[in-house]
Amino acid sequence: MRLESAERSLDLRSPAVMGILNVTPDSFSDGGRYTDTSAAVERALAMVEEGARIVDVGGESTRPGAAPVEIRDELARVLPVIEGIRAHSEVFISIDTIKPEVMRAACEAGADLINDVMGLRAEGAVEALRDTGTAACLMHMQGEPRTMQRAPRYDDVVAEVSAFLHARVAACVDAGVPRARLCVDPGFGFGKTLEHNLALMRALACLAPEDTPLLIGVSRKSMFARLLGCDDMAARINGSVAAAFWAATQGARIIRTHDVRETHQVLTLAGALGADRPMPQ
Ligand SMILES: Nc1nc2ncc(COP(=O)(O)OP(=O)(O)O)nc2c(=O)[nH]1
């Protein structure tokens, strides 16, 4: 399995680690740490050394209640960082944004993947993907960041999230985007209760369209606070890496994480055990 972009191709026969680089002042777990461009580029290169095969650059927090960011401010945050990483590394770079204008500019600056928590539903987003020739991650969210966690409700969360991911892939393919450039993500914590998140974790192997890589992002999320009783962010790493191991056994191909070294070690173990592929049903 591979994920194709205009300039690079990602081999996903074994799961890839996507290192999170939030260049925001208010991201829920690492906000404010990498607002200086050189510090952000240094962190990106360090994550590559630790085993990241994708670096996910985000300029706008998507946590519940986060303040929206103007296009010009988001561009000012992400473009220098993408250019700086590209000047030093051939690593796959993703841009975590919902705005088509930011997608286009980031891809121009060297990004290979559009990571859109809205599943490319904004007007012009699918066209931006088609025109830039990059890859994309299509994520499910119920509602919008400001309100999504107020009262998430589904008749069948697995069926509804899977149907959404199939529909977004079809929409992109119908618009002329090759399937080989697409991956999908159930969107843990994006309009989901703990029970919804756990149901999706149990059903990972059946969420994505056939031959479409599955990306998951549970790193340090509040689902672990409730389940494991660990409010402290650092204490959530055990749940995060255990979930990464589980996801690999269920066929997930990209694991989005703040803790790159630890996640890479866990996925290396999964590979050594022959466990990083879907278990026979
Ligand atoms: N594809 C994908 N992208 C995502 N982007 C942001 C967050 C939220 O986490 P984080 O980036 O750490 O926080 P913030 O949005 O506050 O910057 N989660 C996902 C996710 O689960 N999947």
Side-chain angles (χ1 to χ4, degrees):
M1 183 175 273
R2 304 188 75 85
L3 189 62
E4 304 291 349
S5 182
E7 302 290 325
R8 288 165 194 84
S9 171
L10 203 58
D11 181 345
L12 293 177
R13 282 173 296 178
S14 60
V17 173
M18 172 188 262
I20 298 169
L21 185 60
N22 288 315
V23 288
T24 63
D26 59 345
S27 286
F28 82 90
S29 78
D30 55 356
R33 291 187 57 184
Y34 305 111
T35 48
D36 168 73
T37 299
S38 53
V41 174
E42 197 177 318
R43 174 63 185 153
L45 300 178
M47 289 196 287
V48 173
E49 284 303 304
E50 293 174 2
R53 290 202 279 143
I54 307 169
V55 174
D56 189 32
V57 180
E60 179 179 41
S61 172
T62 57
R63 82 188 190 300
V69 175
E70 292 293 324
I71 290 175
R72 66 172 178 279
D73 296 336
E74 190 173 343
L75 288 172
R77 289 176 180 175
V78 300
L79 294 186
V81 174
I82 292 171
E83 289 161 355
I85 298 168
R86 187 53 73 225
H88 295 88
S89 171
E90 281 301 301
V91 68
F92 230 75
I93 300 172
S94 56
I95 174 70
D96 189 348
T97 186
I98 60 174
K99 302 186 184 78
E101 300 85 349
V102 177
M103 294 171 188
R104 289 179 181 275
C107 295
E108 190 65 35
D112 303 287
L113 187 151
I114 295 168
N115 175 22
D116 182 0
V117 297
M118 295 295 287
L120 293 182
R121 283 180 286 157
E123 191 173 337
V126 173
E127 292 72 15
L129 169 65
R130 183 193 57 207
D131 299 348
T132 54
T134 55
C137 174
L138 309 171
M139 196 194 85
H140 174 271
M141 178 191 309
Q142 185 182 74
E144 54 175 351
R146 202 169 41 82
T147 57
M148 64 188 177
Q149 287 307 109
R150 282 188 189 154
R153 209 193 66 71
Y154 301 81
D155 292 330
D156 178 339
V157 63
V158 170
E160 291 174 53
V161 168
S162 180
F164 173 88
L165 299 177
H166 282 72
R168 294 314 298 151
V169 166
C172 291
V173 170
D174 291 351
V177 177
R179 283 181 75 99
R181 287 173 31 199
L182 302 173
C183 65
V184 293
D185 178 341
F188 287 99
F190 286 87
K192 281 97 177 177
T193 62
L194 171 61
E195 290 67 27
H196 295 143
N197 288 323
L198 294 175
L200 290 167
M201 280 300 278
R202 286 192 291 269
L204 284 181
C206 64
L207 290 177
E210 196 161 350
D211 297 330
T212 303
L214 181 73
L215 186 155
I216 73 140
V218 294
S219 182
R220 302 185 186 177
K221 287 191 175 175
S222 60
M223 60 189 276
F224 299 115
R226 268 202 59 200
L227 188 66
L228 307 176
C230 47
D231 285 329
D232 171 37
M233 210 57 80
R236 297 181 188 176
I237 188 168
N238 294 341
S240 302
V241 294
F245 187 97
W246 166 257
T249 68
Q250 299 303 297
R253 296 291 91 181
I254 300 173
I255 309 291
R256 181 177 185 275
T257 183
H258 304 83
D259 304 297
V260 171
R261 181 191 309 281
E262 296 81 0
T263 304
H264 183 250
Q265 287 173 343
V266 158
L267 295 180
T268 301
L269 173 63
L273 296 172
D276 64 348
R277 57 189 64 84
M279 291 175 179
Q281 295 296 334

